[in-house]
PDB file of all heavy atoms in Angstrom:
ATOM      1  N   ALA G 418     -13.650  26.002  21.281  1.00 79.00           N
ATOM      2  CA  ALA G 418     -12.494  26.874  21.091  1.00 79.00           C
ATOM      3  C   ALA G 418     -11.319  26.391  21.931  1.00 79.00           C
ATOM      4  O   ALA G 418     -10.156  26.476  21.515  1.00 79.00           O
ATOM      5  CB  ALA G 418     -12.853  28.314  21.453  1.00 79.00           C
ATOM      6  N   GLY G 419     -11.624  25.872  23.126  1.00 83.00           N
ATOM      7  CA  GLY G 419     -10.569  25.294  23.952  1.00 83.00           C
ATOM      8  C   GLY G 419      -9.949  24.069  23.306  1.00 83.00           C
ATOM      9  O   GLY G 419      -8.734  23.884  23.331  1.00 83.00           O
ATOM     10  N   LEU G 420     -10.795  23.238  22.698  1.00 75.00           N
ATOM     11  CA  LEU G 420     -10.277  22.067  21.985  1.00 75.00           C
ATOM     12  C   LEU G 420      -9.380  22.494  20.830  1.00 75.00           C
ATOM     13  O   LEU G 420      -8.317  21.898  20.587  1.00 75.00           O
ATOM     14  CB  LEU G 420     -11.443  21.223  21.464  1.00 75.00           C
ATOM     15  CG  LEU G 420     -12.391  20.626  22.511  1.00 75.00           C
ATOM     16  CD1 LEU G 420     -13.534  19.890  21.840  1.00 75.00           C
ATOM     17  CD2 LEU G 420     -11.649  19.699  23.451  1.00 75.00           C
ATOM     18  N   PHE G 421      -9.808  23.528  20.116  1.00 75.00           N
ATOM     19  CA  PHE G 421      -9.007  24.040  19.004  1.00 75.00           C
ATOM     20  C   PHE G 421      -7.670  24.580  19.504  1.00 75.00           C
ATOM     21  O   PHE G 421      -6.608  24.290  18.950  1.00 75.00           O
ATOM     22  CB  PHE G 421      -9.777  25.142  18.277  1.00 75.00           C
ATOM     23  CG  PHE G 421      -9.002  25.810  17.169  1.00 75.00           C
ATOM     24  CD1 PHE G 421      -8.791  25.154  15.973  1.00 75.00           C
ATOM     25  CD2 PHE G 421      -8.477  27.076  17.342  1.00 75.00           C
ATOM     26  CE1 PHE G 421      -8.070  25.761  14.955  1.00 75.00           C
ATOM     27  CE2 PHE G 421      -7.761  27.693  16.334  1.00 75.00           C
ATOM     28  CZ  PHE G 421      -7.563  27.034  15.132  1.00 75.00           C
ATOM     29  N   CYS G 422      -7.717  25.367  20.578  1.00 82.00           N
ATOM     30  CA  CYS G 422      -6.488  25.924  21.137  1.00 82.00           C
ATOM     31  C   CYS G 422      -5.559  24.813  21.617  1.00 82.00           C
ATOM     32  O   CYS G 422      -4.344  24.880  21.418  1.00 82.00           O
ATOM     33  CB  CYS G 422      -6.835  26.874  22.289  1.00 82.00           C
ATOM     34  SG  CYS G 422      -5.419  27.716  23.018  1.00 82.00           S
ATOM     35  N   GLY G 423      -6.148  23.782  22.246  1.00 81.00           N
ATOM     36  CA  GLY G 423      -5.327  22.669  22.716  1.00 81.00           C
ATOM     37  C   GLY G 423      -4.652  21.928  21.587  1.00 81.00           C
ATOM     38  O   GLY G 423      -3.495  21.505  21.712  1.00 81.00           O
ATOM     39  N   SER G 424      -5.345  21.772  20.469  1.00 73.00           N
ATOM     40  CA  SER G 424      -4.737  21.083  19.327  1.00 73.00           C
ATOM     41  C   SER G 424      -3.617  21.915  18.717  1.00 73.00           C
ATOM     42  O   SER G 424      -2.595  21.381  18.279  1.00 73.00           O
ATOM     43  CB  SER G 424      -5.806  20.767  18.275  1.00 73.00           C
ATOM     44  OG  SER G 424      -6.345  21.966  17.731  1.00 73.00           O
ATOM     45  N   ILE G 425      -3.794  23.252  18.708  1.00 77.00           N
ATOM     46  CA  ILE G 425      -2.732  24.129  18.218  1.00 77.00           C
ATOM     47  C   ILE G 425      -1.507  24.037  19.121  1.00 77.00           C
ATOM     48  O   ILE G 425      -0.365  23.924  18.659  1.00 77.00           O
ATOM     49  CB  ILE G 425      -3.229  25.588  18.127  1.00 77.00           C
ATOM     50  CG1 ILE G 425      -4.330  25.714  17.071  1.00 77.00           C
ATOM     51  CG2 ILE G 425      -2.070  26.529  17.814  1.00 77.00           C
ATOM     52  CD1 ILE G 425      -3.876  25.440  15.663  1.00 77.00           C
ATOM     53  N   LEU G 426      -1.746  24.083  20.430  1.00 79.00           N
ATOM     54  CA  LEU G 426      -0.638  23.981  21.385  1.00 79.00           C
ATOM     55  C   LEU G 426       0.074  22.632  21.248  1.00 79.00           C
ATOM     56  O   LEU G 426       1.301  22.558  21.379  1.00 79.00           O
ATOM     57  CB  LEU G 426      -1.164  24.150  22.811  1.00 79.00           C
ATOM     58  CG  LEU G 426      -1.621  25.551  23.208  1.00 79.00           C
ATOM     59  CD1 LEU G 426      -2.187  25.546  24.630  1.00 79.00           C
ATOM     60  CD2 LEU G 426      -0.472  26.541  23.101  1.00 79.00           C
ATOM     61  N   SER G 427      -0.698  21.583  20.981  1.00 74.00           N
ATOM     62  CA  SER G 427      -0.089  20.261  20.813  1.00 74.00           C
ATOM     63  C   SER G 427       0.861  20.255  19.630  1.00 74.00           C
ATOM     64  O   SER G 427       1.928  19.621  19.674  1.00 74.00           O
ATOM     65  CB  SER G 427      -1.172  19.198  20.619  1.00 74.00           C
ATOM     66  OG  SER G 427      -2.048  19.165  21.721  1.00 74.00           O
ATOM     67  N   GLY G 428       0.486  20.961  18.556  1.00 71.00           N
ATOM     68  CA  GLY G 428       1.379  21.067  17.411  1.00 71.00           C
ATOM     69  C   GLY G 428       2.606  21.902  17.716  1.00 71.00           C
ATOM     70  O   GLY G 428       3.724  21.556  17.322  1.00 71.00           O
ATOM     71  N   LEU G 429       2.425  22.996  18.471  1.00 77.00           N
ATOM     72  CA  LEU G 429       3.560  23.861  18.820  1.00 77.00           C
ATOM     73  C   LEU G 429       4.547  23.152  19.734  1.00 77.00           C
ATOM     74  O   LEU G 429       5.767  23.367  19.649  1.00 77.00           O
ATOM     75  CB  LEU G 429       3.057  25.142  19.494  1.00 77.00           C
ATOM     76  CG  LEU G 429       2.238  26.109  18.623  1.00 77.00           C
ATOM     77  CD1 LEU G 429       1.732  27.285  19.454  1.00 77.00           C
ATOM     78  CD2 LEU G 429       3.091  26.618  17.452  1.00 77.00           C
ATOM     79  N   PHE G 430       4.016  22.305  20.610  1.00 76.00           N
ATOM     80  CA  PHE G 430       4.870  21.581  21.551  1.00 76.00           C
ATOM     81  C   PHE G 430       5.044  20.122  21.138  1.00 76.00           C
ATOM     82  O   PHE G 430       5.188  19.238  21.989  1.00 76.00           O
ATOM     83  CB  PHE G 430       4.282  21.655  22.960  1.00 76.00           C
ATOM     84  CG  PHE G 430       4.220  23.044  23.521  1.00 76.00           C
ATOM     85  CD1 PHE G 430       3.010  23.711  23.630  1.00 76.00           C
ATOM     86  CD2 PHE G 430       5.371  23.704  23.917  1.00 76.00           C
ATOM     87  CE1 PHE G 430       2.938  24.991  24.138  1.00 76.00           C
ATOM     88  CE2 PHE G 430       5.317  24.987  24.429  1.00 76.00           C
ATOM     89  CZ  PHE G 430       4.102  25.638  24.537  1.00 76.00           C
ATOM     90  N   SER G 431       5.019  19.886  19.836  1.00 68.00           N
ATOM     91  CA  SER G 431       5.161  18.510  19.339  1.00 68.00           C
ATOM     92  C   SER G 431       6.528  17.924  19.670  1.00 68.00           C
ATOM     93  O   SER G 431       6.704  16.711  19.640  1.00 68.00           O
ATOM     94  CB  SER G 431       4.940  18.477  17.819  1.00 68.00           C
ATOM     95  OG  SER G 431       5.863  19.330  17.152  1.00 68.00           O
ATOM     96  N   GLY G 432       7.504  18.792  19.975  1.00 74.00           N
ATOM     97  CA  GLY G 432       8.820  18.302  20.367  1.00 74.00           C
ATOM     98  C   GLY G 432       8.851  17.758  21.780  1.00 74.00           C
ATOM     99  O   GLY G 432       9.808  17.075  22.158  1.00 74.00           O
ATOM    100  N   TRP G 433       7.834  18.064  22.581  1.00 79.00           N
ATOM    101  CA  TRP G 433       7.772  17.522  23.939  1.00 79.00           C
ATOM    102  C   TRP G 433       7.505  16.017  23.890  1.00 79.00           C
ATOM    103  O   TRP G 433       6.849  15.508  22.985  1.00 79.00           O
ATOM    104  CB  TRP G 433       6.642  18.169  24.725  1.00 79.00           C
ATOM    105  CG  TRP G 433       6.922  19.569  25.185  1.00 79.00           C
ATOM    106  CD1 TRP G 433       7.935  20.388  24.779  1.00 79.00           C
ATOM    107  CD2 TRP G 433       6.151  20.320  26.125  1.00 79.00           C
ATOM    108  NE1 TRP G 433       7.850  21.598  25.395  1.00 79.00           N
ATOM    109  CE2 TRP G 433       6.761  21.596  26.240  1.00 79.00           C
ATOM    110  CE3 TRP G 433       5.009  20.064  26.873  1.00 79.00           C
ATOM    111  CZ2 TRP G 433       6.275  22.585  27.073  1.00 79.00           C
ATOM    112  CZ3 TRP G 433       4.510  21.054  27.705  1.00 79.00           C
ATOM    113  CH2 TRP G 433       5.133  22.295  27.811  1.00 79.00           C
ATOM    114  N   ARG G 434       8.003  15.317  24.890  1.00 79.00           N
ATOM    115  CA  ARG G 434       7.639  13.912  25.016  1.00 79.00           C
ATOM    116  C   ARG G 434       6.156  13.821  25.371  1.00 79.00           C
ATOM    117  O   ARG G 434       5.653  14.632  26.158  1.00 79.00           O
ATOM    118  CB  ARG G 434       8.488  13.225  26.084  1.00 79.00           C
ATOM    119  CG  ARG G 434       9.938  13.054  25.678  1.00 79.00           C
ATOM    120  CD  ARG G 434      10.689  12.177  26.670  1.00 79.00           C
ATOM    121  NE  ARG G 434      10.723  12.774  28.001  1.00 79.00           N
ATOM    122  CZ  ARG G 434      11.622  13.670  28.397  1.00 79.00           C
ATOM    123  NH1 ARG G 434      12.556  14.092  27.556  1.00 79.00           N
ATOM    124  NH2 ARG G 434      11.589  14.160  29.626  1.00 79.00           N
TER     125      ARG G 434
END
Side-chain angles (χ1 to χ4, degrees):
L420 298 177
F421 176 74
C422 183
S424 65
I425 295 295
L426 289 177
S427 301
L429 293 176
F430 296 107
S431 58
W433 285 13
R434 290 189 298 275

